[in-house]
Amino acid sequence: MNIVVGAAIIAGGRLLAAQRAEPEELAGGWEFPGGKVDPGESDEDALLRECAEELGIRIALTARIGADWPLSLGGVLRVWTAAI
């Protein structure tokens, strides 16, 4: 099963989200920073790594939001709140 993690980063009373440009089937949709969990990696470590790679920031995870959110092709999304 593919696990994708996302960070709902809250700073200055604002929530960071990005609008996708590609691929075409996802263009215009909104997403949180994050990405796929690599084999042998914890969800939390993957999220810290992805934010460092994508945004060049270090985050602190505060709480997991809800349960697994089903994605296409049998994957799941897991989201945490976070602070920079």
Side-chain angles (χ1 to χ4, degrees):
M1 167 175 59
N2 287 326
I3 299 172
V4 177
V5 290
I9 300 172
I10 302 166
R14 298 186 293 175
L15 175 66
L16 176 65
Q19 194 168 26
R20 292 191 68 118
E22 55 185 39
E24 185 177 330
E25 62 272 10
L26 298 176
W30 292 90
E31 69 179 2
F32 293 126
K36 292 182 183 175
V37 177
D38 289 337
E41 188 175 41
S42 73
D43 296 351
E44 294 88 344
D45 286 344
L47 195 46
L48 297 175
R49 174 184 53 77
E50 287 283 352
C51 286
E53 290 175 0
E54 291 180 3
L55 303 174
I57 61 171
R58 291 177 43 185
I59 62 168
L61 303 179
T62 50
R64 173 118 184 247
I65 301 173
D68 289 356
W69 185 264
L71 300 173
S72 61
L73 305 175
V76 296
L77 172 65
R78 298 175 179 165
V79 178
W80 280 258
T81 56
I84 297 173

